[in-house]
Amino acid sequence: MQSTIYNFQDLTGSVDSTFLSWFGTTGALIAELVLVGIVFLAFYALLGLFLVYLERKVCAVIQNRYGPNRVGPLGLFQTVADLIKLLMKELIPIRRSDKFLFNLAPFIVIIASFMAIAATPFARGLQAVDLNIGVFYVMAVSSLGVVGILIAGWSSNSKYSLIGAMRSGAQIVSYELSVGLSLLAIVTFAGTMQLSGIVESQADGWWIFKGHIPAIIAFIIFLIASTAEINRGPFDLAEAESELTAGFHTEYSGIKFAFFFLAEYINMFIVAAIGATVFLGGWMPFHIGSWDAFNHVMDFIPSMVWFFLKAFFIIYIIMWFKWTFPRLRIDQLLTLEWKYLMPLSLINIIIIAFIVLMGWHF
Amino acid sequence: MSEEIIKDVIIGESEDYIINMGPQHPSTHGVLRLEVCLQGETVKYLIPHVGYIHRGIEKMCEANTYPQIIHLTDRMDYLSAHMNNEAVCLCVENALQIEVPEKVKYVRTILSELNRLASHQLWWSAFGMDLGALTTFFYGLRDRELILDIFEESFGSRLLHSFNTPGGLMHDIHPNFQTRVKEFITYFRQKLPEYDQLLTGNVIFEQRAKGVGVMSKETAIAYGVTGPSGRGSAFSCDLRKHAPYSAYDKVQFNEILYTEGDTFARYKVRMDEMWESMNIIEQLVDNIPDDGFSAKMKPIIKLPAGEYFQRVETARGEFAVFIVSDGDKKPYRIKFRSPNFSNLFVMNELAKGGKIADLIAISGSLDLVIPDIDR
């Protein structure tokens, strides 16, 4: 049915065979590794720059102001200028801080988000690694970032940073559960943990439509919990600029601060990508059951466009949250998770298991 | 408690976790330093330290003539600049037993209420920002800008408008003044419900504000907490009702009282006061009499020897001026009673036992202007 969707497997396959003919087996592997690395680095940097720009434009719309509009057309180069500024800023050493851990922390945070992006299916056949435990892997590596945040807060020799790190530890570890359970809902529906498999299973309709109300509940829980997990407003308690000045990254300056900043935005993209893949069909075009003519028309829109549209839709919702809601208090945050979201998602899982058992989903 | 604090802080035997909030912390709204003792995230006690902005305004006033003092009172509570001026002017006029023209009274009242509106708008913006809702800041400032534009057109300055002078006003009001004020009221009557939509009914906001920092009426009276902060605890202290000055005895308005005494009550008092301020302005702005903008004054103002006292209701509470005169053209001694000083020191009572995030909500709801605390 998806014969008209362009399959990037052809492109990657031809690259692979070219490298094989040039370098031999081991050489081709190394060359592909380097190529993928370069492509991801470039993508990562551009995405970070664009998301910062997007956030400023979205918040400007919500707050009745212009946003960046001076540097370049529509202010497009504003974030590039900001990046240059951050690169040139002095890295201030903190007295009596743990120097090694202090310098290590930004890298841990950024590596965690790098690893998560590796398994994301961007388009049909365009995926760096297609693990058979994709959902599980993404969950595991995306929660590594909290280690970096904790180390940053602890090694900064600042009380504000320490409070911020402790808050973020409690918050991310708690909300990881709800994220996991809501993803598990769709894993139950799809019957596979492989991200490409989950996307293929949505060829006749996305899970948010096919999975009845439980899927919608799971999606809402996923949105709330993942917003909390990536430390964004209204759950940005780890930074809490009005309470803790900047929380765990108070003492960081220049490019090290930019690393945290970048990781935050990339994490936002990752949860949006995972949400889009699992609930909204990833790169899969909008298909309805067996309406072949309609599905065929939809297939003409490239799969990459579908993926990024869905991801940015979720990113927009997350930004919208941030710019309208006040911030929660830490005890209210944990109450929300442990007393409401987690029990709800557990009940939801049971209902879904029942639906799948009876075969009531489409 | 105080002995414990002294022992803990000065001797330093305790293992308390003390952090300094300020003087450059974003939510202290100026150079306030709060020494906060925490247990985890729970506030055990806090000690406000003032003295970072000390300019010696009272001492400076004693070296200046009465018309010159006006320009110093602006700079204390710069968000209630007009009301501060009014207090000094009323005090001097009472001392000289001068009756100012009716027009002056009307204009002063309108400007006071406009200034109160501007102050409450900025408070609402900053309060939302303290709770993490940045959008409020832009909504509030968008509307405040229009009031400042009226001020700018009327007397050439936006924030520190020394428009009052003993005996009347510096000059006549701008011909556009009435139309622009009316335009603004029509506009703001539409925009104020937007504030409620954005913040008031929000679940997160209600959780953050309701039952947080409860101040009983007794505490409010004991600490001398006046203004909207006191009225949130059912402490009826509106001087516009209890000791009317200028044209406040000619208008109908309600004193807003809430009984809960928590952050949400203090919030609601200010939100309702904005409606009342608009009512007051609407009652006055069409009926400004035209009988001159100043009483006849001598070129050099000398107060007869004696003690004079005048209080007014600023946006943050009761502002009072006490002048001791020895018959000279300068005051022998001048003392200001600023509302923020009392409002700040009740914070320990309110924040004790709460979370550090509550402390921010409480300090936001008290609407502190730091230069007013330490003159």
Side-chain angles (χ1 to χ4, degrees), chain B residues 209-230:
Chain B
K210 278 188 178 160
V212 167
V214 179
M215 171 162 58
S216 66
K217 190 178 176 183
E218 288 71 34
T219 316
I221 293 172
Y223 277 86
V225 178
T226 50
S229 310

Side-chain angles (χ1 to χ4, degrees), chain B residues 113 116 120 215-217 220-221 225-242 253-262 265-270 273 276-277 312-318 343:
Chain B
E113 293 308 315
R116 192 185 316 278
H120 284 353
M215 171 162 58
S216 66
K217 190 178 176 183
I221 293 172
V225 178
T226 50
S229 310
R231 290 197 284 279
S233 311
F235 173 25
S236 172
C237 56
D238 196 335
L239 291 174
R240 296 175 293 170
K241 276 278 181 205
H242 294 288
F253 68 99
N254 298 321
E255 181 180 9
I256 312 293
L257 285 179
Y258 275 79
T259 46
E260 292 88 354
D262 56 1
R266 291 191 281 275
Y267 172 86
K268 282 301 282 180
V269 169
R270 290 197 178 85
E273 263 190 15
E276 291 299 328
S277 289
V312 296
E313 179 79 17
T314 72
R316 264 153 287 280
E318 179 181 325
N343 293 8

Side-chain angles (χ1 to χ4, degrees), chain A residues 108-128:
Chain A
I108 295 183
V109 174
I110 219 156
I111 285 169
S113 58
F114 247 114
M115 284 162 81
I117 216 165
T120 317
F122 290 100
R124 186 175 171 85
L126 193 66
Q127 191 174 7

Side-chain angles (χ1 to χ4, degrees), chain A residues 153-187:
Chain A
W154 187 81
S155 63
S156 288
N157 187 28
S158 159
K159 289 168 181 175
Y160 284 126
S161 302
L162 189 59
I163 300 178
M166 291 304 149
R167 278 178 170 191
S168 125
Q171 176 185 337
I172 296 179
V173 170
S174 311
Y175 276 86
E176 192 75 33
L177 286 168
S178 282
V179 173
L181 287 172
S182 56
L183 289 180
L184 199 59
I186 302 305
V187 171

Side-chain angles (χ1 to χ4, degrees), chain A residues 62-65 159-160 162-163 167 234 241-243 245 323-332, chain B residues 17-21 25-27 41 130-132 134-135 138-139 142 202 204 207-208 356-358 360:
Chain A
I62 293 175
Q63 297 175 341
N64 297 319
R65 55 201 179 100
K159 289 168 181 175
Y160 284 126
L162 189 59
I163 300 178
R167 278 178 170 191
E241 77 282 345
S242 61
E243 293 152 32
T245 61
W323 297 113
T324 32
F325 287 155
R327 187 180 297 116
L328 273 88
R329 211 167 59 201
I330 185 73
D331 56 324
Q332 291 165 350
Chain B
Y17 187 76
I18 291 175
I19 64 169
N20 284 305
M21 194 165 269
H25 191 278
S27 60
E41 285 210 24
D130 282 347
L131 295 178
L134 272 167
T135 306
F138 294 92
Y139 277 49
R142 175 195 66 195
N202 191 301
I204 299 175
Q207 281 188 357
R208 285 293 303 274
I356 190 167
D358 289 339
I360 306 298

Side-chain angles (χ1 to χ4, degrees), chain B residues 16-56:
Chain B
D16 285 345
Y17 187 76
I18 291 175
I19 64 169
N20 284 305
M21 194 165 269
Q24 73 289 66
H25 191 278
S27 60
T28 52
H29 299 289
V31 280
L32 171 69
R33 177 177 150 222
L34 297 172
E35 201 173 311
V36 188
C37 175
L38 296 175
Q39 209 161 37
E41 285 210 24
T42 311
V43 178
K44 271 175 82 181
Y45 60 81
L46 69 94
I47 311 169
H49 290 267
V50 292
Y52 286 87
I53 202 168
H54 193 74
R55 294 163 296 177

